[in-house]
Amino acid sequence: MPALRQLDPLERPPVIGEDVRYEDVNRRIAGIVTAPTSKGWLIGFGVAFLFVMLFMAAVTYLFARGIGIWGVNVPVAWGFAIVNFVWWIGIGHAGTLISAILLLLHQEWRTSINRFTEAMTLFAVACAGVFPILHLGRPWFFYWLFPYPSEMQIWPQFRSPLMWDVFAVSTYGTVSLLFWYVGLIPDFATMRDLAQTRGKRLLWGVFALGWRGSAHHWKQYQMAYLLLAGLATPLVVSVHSIVSLDFSVGIVPGWHSTIFPPYFVAGAIFSGFAMVVTLILPIRHFYHLEDFITIRHLDNMAKILLVTGLIVGYGYLMETFIAWYSGNIFERFMVLNRIFGPYWWVWAIVIFCNVMTPQIFWSKRMRVNLPVLFAASLAINVGMWVERYMIVVVSLHRDFMPGAWGMYSGTFWDWSTLLGTFGLFLALLFLFIRGIPMLSMAELRELVPSPRKERK
Amino acid sequence: MSQLFHPASNALSRFLIAGALCGIAVISTLAYAYFRSDYFTHRSLTQQQPIPFSHAHHVSGLGIECQYCHTTVEVSSYAGIPNTETCMSCHSQIWTNAAYLAPLRESLRTGNRLRWTRVNDLPDYVFFNHSIHIKKGIGCESCHGRVDKMPLMSKGHSLQMGWCLDCHRDPGKFIRPREEVYSMGYVPNPSQEVVGKKLVAAYDAKPKTDCYTCHR
Amino acid sequence: MNDQRIWGLLAEFDSPEALIRAAKAANEQGYVHFDAFSPSPLEGLSEVVRLRRPWMPRIVLISGLSGGASGFLLQWWISAAAYPLDVGGRPLFSWPAFIPVTFELTILFAAFGSLIGMLMLNGLPAPYHPVFNVPQFRSATTDGFFLAIESRDEQFRLDETLRFLESLNPLEINRIAP
Amino acid sequence: MGNPVFVQIENSTGRQAPRYWRTLAEYRNKESLAEQSSAEFTHAIDDPSPMQVGRRTVLSYLAASAGLAGLSACTSLPEREIVPFVQQPEYLVPGKPRYYATAMQMGDRVVGLLAETHLGRPTKLEGNPSHPASLGATGIFAQAEILTLWDPDRAATVRRGRNTSTWAAFAIEAGHLRERMQRDQGRGFRLLTGAVRSPSMLATIGELLRQFPEARWHTFEAARREEPAAAGSPSSGNPPVPVYRIAAADAIVSLDADFLHGMPGSLAHAREFASRRRPSAEQPSMNRLYVAEPTPSVTGSCADHRLAARCDSIPAIAGVLREELGLPSQGPAASRGLGAEAREWVRKAAADLQRNRGRSLVIPGEFQPALVHQLANQMNAFLGNEGSTVVWADADTGGLSSEPGTLQSLVEDMEAGAVNTLLILDTNPAYSAPEAKRVAQAMEKVALRLHAGLYETETSRLCHWNLPMAHFLESWGDLRAFDGTCSIVQPTIRPLKGQKPALEILATVLGAPLMTDAEIVRNHWRREAASNRESEAAEFDLFWRRSLRDGVIRRGILFNSEVSAVGSRAPVENGPAVGRAVAPPIPSDSKIELVFRPDPTLYDGRYASNGWLQELPKPITSLTWGNAALISAGTAGRLGLESGDAVEIGLGGRSIEIPVWIVPGHAENSVVLHLGNGREKAGGGRVGVDVNPLRTWGAEWNVRGATIRKLGHQVPLAARQHHQNMENRDLIRSWTLDEALSKEKAASAALKPELLSLYPERPVRDGPQWGMSIDLSACIGCGACTIACQAENNISVVGAEEVRRGRIMHWIRLDTYFEGDPSAPGIYHQPVPCMQCENAPCEVVCPVGATAHSEEGLNQMVYNRCVGTRYCSNNCPYKVRRFNFFQYADYETGSLKGQRNPDVSVRSRGVMEKCTYCVQRIEAAKIRSKVNDQPIADGQIVTACQQVCPTEAIVFGNIADPGSKVSRAKSGSRNYTLLDELNTRPRTSYLACVRNPGNDLAELRESEGGTV
């Protein structure tokens, strides 16, 4: 209806297909859940599950033998585990960003992807969350990181950024979950009322909490949702800032830098959106959601990739400049060592993937060219992982005392743990797609022309 | 009839939520209590011993001084467990053929050592030193409890870190005159506050709560 | 029939606009205990439906503040009071280091506040509700637009209210069993 | 590419650090840093497969080197026992260590020791301060002996052939043997021992030879060159032994002599040497050291003027030096043949020697031929050093008329079939002798072969009888030190598995199977006493008890003529006799020479199954677990070799495969190979490469004309330190003497930047504040501190694979850096323990408070609280924290539990650990002082590293007391802290290293004019 048209006066591709009717929303989105399981889904889930098994094997061996099975050593006492942690957390940022910040900014194009990206956030945070525990030398004492009244009368040490991490990540996980669930309540109600068998209706009904869609409900609901968005916005910024403090609080050259918080947050959004693109393109294709996830979305996401990519590039630039400007020989050596040292290839990959790749998005043709977009998003995902590798490993392997320098490389078990979390992530994603409406029907209804029932 | 749930389900659902919250509280309280319970710390739990040795009898009954058997308590980290000969110095005269002393005589004859079960045991990463505690006026009783009332030996206190800290933070509450260190059931006079303050100053008892004080 | 034995009347309309018009009308008629149901929030309904004052912001604010306060105090107590340890020559009460956790706890508590607030103010969870007695109501979460007038409203007279509702030409009207 | 940027960096460093080159690879091709890096990349750890993680090959070493009772804070309380004595020795107080004076021998070296025992378990060895060869210090070997004692791989059972037997059975066998020998006067009976420094052992052997006149005694020390002993002495049977008084020398010239580390008395040498290396306003003088040697040794690394010279050119250099000093000699002036730098070095050395007549010293290397020793003796005599810097002690012959035979003669006799019985006492020729195979084959010809030793070895495999020998800590004995001082060796524990001491085994052969070693030794000294003035029992008991207590036999109580008669009989007269010999010709440098030396940590291989020594980084190269062929950068460049490249070294048809290691300051065309590696029959199996196949009689120590062929694959070597360049960082300050003195005058506090902190300063605490000072001018880089720390603090051995991955556990590491021209670099050592920073970065980042500060300024590490985030290690700028990546400590192997220090927790998997300033010693001392109401005196608390250090480079104490040694050390201008710009405020500080290159040529000329 006209109200909608006014939303974007410029001639941009619409945020939702022209000919989508009100009832299509139910039919096509709820349909995905109610339809019988497809062979494609089974195969996809099966493959993901195999990697989950690999993950389980790696973790079991890890607990049995100790983290010595990884490549970590002294001086490089942090390796894949922390790299993966930071990378996954970063990916976990796009979801809340899209749901919360874009909501506050009235970017209505977020509507058709927010549910999906929130789910992605949750699963990414879940994958990230395992690493702080896995990487402990004595994981069975992980609970010592929580302030509980122990009979030893000894407590955690709150000056440590790792403690901040514990709270930041757990808070982020919890709030994202709440946010996601609140958003789901009306759709659960829809599913409850669409469901055929009584069993299904009961199941959905439990989650729907008896949602009736009354005006009162909607009023309070929108208020709560808005407040949650308002809370999630500073949260999402704070979380990766705090993760970055793990490094910038340390004195290691290449860590000890004030630019880290903004630069990490940008990096997080960067990798997060890259992951969204990577996932949404195939799903959009297989589940024929072109009408709901339109070229407009992809175009916008490509732009965000470009912007955040530029910010990240600026981060690299400043690091280098400050290293030279500070006159600190350790900082200078760190930069030179990154570029020309034994790990020069890491630096090269980072620059290519994170700085050069997004530049192609200056061109609109590239932004809307799906294969290019997909390839670029993959490159950025890799690039951001390698960037964290650069920050963690390349900074540590040559710090202050040459006599203690060393080299690092991941082992078979490092890699299997990383791949394992991919499996975990995808498996959860498959289950989500299959079991829960992956787009917010309640919100989509606001975007389509309202119906007019025939009188009988 | 298109109602999915029974009218009672409203009340039920809210009850369940409330219940879950209470459950968490209850469980954590129980855990807190458990790890401080005698059941967990083995406090006042008697162990199977080769000989049913009674401190009650030897200390309050016969009035034998602690150091008579625990000879090195003033000079070493270990208080010292009496060797077979020490026991035999009396038991070659009295109770010479008491059945339950057979293992003792056996030990002297064969030279095989007696194997007691530890009652007051600290983890290997805790380095406790008896001599300094004695020197600073901490009575046996303060850690080992009323040994003179123990027919069979058992832990007098939990010996948990928190318990140690109670004294290391404020020795005044427990310190006693050196001549009273070995006595059981010592009553401060006039009052522990007064005596404690005086003795802490007199003995220069400034225990540390540094980690290295006990862990090395 | 006796109007005590019904919970209210439920009228279904063919479009959001119709529902909004109906709600307005009911409002002008002076009905208080009526409610409109729609699959998605409708602009214009909220001001028609009289709401109690919005408590939500206050709940969230209070829970947030309490979270922050408790977090900060906890850290102060642990670091400066419970077991003061000299850590790297930093002051026992090094408050700048305590800010992140304080902030996170503020957000956490506030978030819980908003969820619990929303549920409480909406009287959820309420798996059972009289309106569910009307089979057609199932479409209220997909594509149906309903107006319900409760019998407890002192203006509620079965025949009048029925007539009033028909005047808004709904698709159909149902009695809601209590 | 990046080059210009890099140059800018090098110029733009704030401090006036000398210009350092980076890795050798870079030095050669500065053009591309990328290449340099890739060269370095070859050292990278490649992904180990899960199976490699198992480290099976080294498990048995781990066994010999790990720990007890874990930290896995168990929530369910375990049930444990108390086992009191039946009758308690009244002196034995549980919880208090006892110390016994004793002594050990290794080759020709004898060191007096104090053995620390807990409840009768020897747990640690310290030097005996009143012993002239120790002065309170020990070397790495003495520290490692404690592990050897408890090594589960030690020989435990009497074996006859393959089957186990008993001592009784052996006694019977010995009886038969003796009967036969009585019949034939012992014809064909041969005794083969190592160097014998024990008077009572000599006496026993003498007794044997007296009873069986036809029997013969041979000695074999794998790591001893035979002739020099006789050098420069009259041809008569008992040559005197030179004793050097290093402290008295202002100018020292070492002709390939590692006198600070690798010689009898080297501990004393090091102490005296260091005493002249600490210039200050009060004592502005300093000695000057000239060293000519093929590869940097510990001594060479301390030289003020070091010449990298092929081993076979040393005689020539000695000749030229002698010539330069102006001693008469016929023949061509040798100097013409020498290279420019060599001539330069010789001229400087000669000038200095001239200037310091009577206060100078020329020391010949023990692996140099007799000629060099003769030349050195002549020079010392000529310079009037006899009696001042070099004195002569009588060699102890135990009254034996004839010298023992050599292994070579024994082999010849065996081949000739002249030997029917061979008794080998703890020496292993079948592995360590040149032409070992020939030795083995010759042994086959012997009818009855008996072997007694600590381990079953390559040699014992060839013997009919294997007799497990007791460790010196398990047996009585006596030993004669380099200067003739004798000590009683007293046992600290009964033989763990019923092994027998060598003395008792010999006694059994002599027909006194019931004679105990205690009786033998005591009787010997009673006889000695009888032969002297006071022989009354009372006198003797007094003497005996005092000797046991002191660990040194006081001269004068017994002897009119002192045992270590610092003889006046200088053998100069025969000097000229040698002098007439034509100065040796200069060898052509073109041919590649092989130089064979005992391994710096495994010696002749006897320590091959000692995990501590295997894992102790070798000086200069920092290699662990195995050896490499050491070559110079130039040679490597010519052959296109990188460190780690496998090569085939061939010599006269024989060849070995071995990786190479490039050593800066190594002589060109010279390959140094270390003995003692690649033993099949040791602990967990073969480690490193056995270089013996290349050695032949007559060419045991160096030989010319080897071939090197690159094999094209890399061998992963386990080096501790991968980067030996300081990168222009102010880590080691090295000054010349003049600089040092001038700075001394102008109090150079200006060097230190003002250190501000955002945080309020700590209130000054009462009570002691611990601190440490390490004098880099005194540190010779021997590595004793590292292994002493390992012994004291129950530090685990991790094995080659883990070292390669950078997981070595040593709490105090030795960084060695090279400076300047790689062919003649400056070499600097820096021991790095925990700095105990006052503003410790590690503490702030620990989430569980497992590391925090103590009131006495210690940076505490609480193992049982650690969850293992390893954040502290990342945040430690000095990288002194060590992590248990696996369960390194061995909880299973029983015998090892005996070795553990009961006052230190044994760390479990997943916890961080680090240097604690030996807090167990601090706390013990504090408690002792409180219980006895005596204050802690300065120097009463010594850390393990401080106690072992031969040069007293490490000082520990209370910095709150301005009078303490450590405070005074820190007050000097040489004092500085590492990375002080980080404002970590370390409690461990360093004293700048002072070198004394001194004389420019001008000054030389005029001084020469004066003397010549």
Side-chain angles (χ1 to χ4, degrees), chain D residues 627-913:
Chain D
N627 55 337
L630 309 184
I631 57 174
S632 75
T635 313
R638 255 210 349 281
L639 299 167
L641 293 171
E642 285 292 345
S643 286
D645 283 347
V647 295
E648 183 191 70
I649 298 181
L651 180 70
R654 305 173 308 278
S655 75
I656 59 166
E657 282 189 17
I658 188 170
V660 297
W661 191 262
I662 300 170
V663 180
H666 193 288
E668 292 300 316
N669 292 330
S670 178
V671 181
V672 170
L673 299 166
H674 285 136
L675 312 176
N677 290 273
R679 282 191 53 193
E680 295 155 20
K681 194 96 176 53
R686 188 190 295 270
V687 175
V689 180
D690 180 7
V691 299
N692 250 321
L694 293 179
R695 296 169 76 214
T696 51
W697 291 114
E700 304 108 297
W701 302 108
N702 59 309
V703 56
R704 212 172 299 163
T707 59
I708 298 184
R709 191 165 61 81
K710 183 175 182 177
L711 292 174
H713 66 275
Q714 277 260 333
V715 177
L717 288 163
R720 207 282 299 154
Q721 188 177 356
H722 302 281
H723 201 90
Q724 299 193 302
N725 166 281
M726 240 181 292
E727 302 293 347
N728 296 346
R729 297 171 183 192
D730 180 35
L731 304 179
I732 296 181
R733 291 187 186 166
S734 65
W735 299 343
T736 65
L737 179 56
D738 313 345
E739 281 175 325
L741 294 176
S742 64
K743 289 219 176 64
E744 189 73 37
K745 285 187 210 73
S748 61
L751 274 177
K752 297 193 189 64
E754 189 51 48
L755 292 174
L756 302 170
S757 171
L758 277 178
Y759 302 100
E761 289 296 322
R762 265 198 204 80
V764 181
R765 300 207 198 77
D766 55 350
Q769 297 298 308
W770 306 116
M772 182 180 275
S773 166
I774 301 179
D775 189 343
L776 298 181
S777 201
C779 176
I780 58 173
C782 65
C785 46
T786 305
I787 196 167
C789 175
Q790 183 158 33
E792 170 72 16
N793 293 300
N794 302 337
I795 296 172
S796 303
V797 165
V798 297
E801 177 59 30
E802 293 292 283
V803 174
R804 240 176 261 128
R805 291 205 225 143
R807 295 171 180 179
I808 202 163
M809 295 299 278
H810 295 146
W811 283 1
I812 178 169
R813 70 167 190 268
L814 187 78
D815 284 349
T816 300
Y817 294 107
F818 298 108
E819 169 210 343
D821 169 9
S823 66
I827 307 173
Y828 301 95
H829 303 292
Q830 182 171 48
V832 187
C834 173
M835 295 290 136
Q836 309 287 351
C837 311
E838 286 176 2
N839 300 343
C842 53
E843 292 173 1
V844 185
V845 297
C846 177
V848 291
T851 180
H853 234 64
S854 87
E855 287 184 22
E856 296 168 353
L858 293 179
N859 166 232
Q860 310 171 112
M861 178 68 223
V862 190
Y863 312 123
N864 45 300
R865 176 64 177 174
C866 178
V867 295
T869 66
R870 309 185 299 295
Y871 199 171
C872 51
S873 169
N874 289 343
N875 217 35
C876 172
Y878 312 96
K879 288 288 174 287
V880 294
R881 290 175 157 268
R882 301 287 174 259
F883 189 70
N884 291 269
F885 289 92
F886 286 114
Q887 181 55 58
Y888 291 136
D890 176 347
Y891 295 166
E892 278 67 43
T893 314
S895 78
L896 295 171
K897 300 180 178 179
Q899 183 277 324
R900 300 275 156 266
N901 179 349
D903 300 330
V904 178
S905 305
V906 175
R907 284 76 61 186
S908 75
R909 180 238 282 195
V911 304
M912 190 64 69
E913 60 185 70

Side-chain angles (χ1 to χ4, degrees), chain D residues 285-336:
Chain D
S285 83
M286 194 172 163
N287 63 14
R288 185 173 296 137
L289 174 60
Y290 295 79
V291 177
E293 59 183 359
T295 192
S297 67
V298 163
T299 306
S301 69
C302 307
D304 301 300
H305 293 283
R306 188 179 166 280
L307 175 66
R310 290 166 57 106
C311 182
D312 56 11
S313 71
I314 297 291
I317 290 170
V320 177
L321 181 62
R322 180 174 176 283
E323 197 173 79
E324 193 77 22
L325 286 174
L327 267 86
S329 82
Q330 284 90 21
S335 58
R336 259 183 281 98

Side-chain angles (χ1 to χ4, degrees), chain D residues 369-384:
Chain D
L371 173 59
V372 175
H373 290 251
Q374 291 160 342
L375 294 171
N377 293 338
Q378 290 165 22
M379 286 188 265
N380 281 328
F382 173 77
L383 291 165

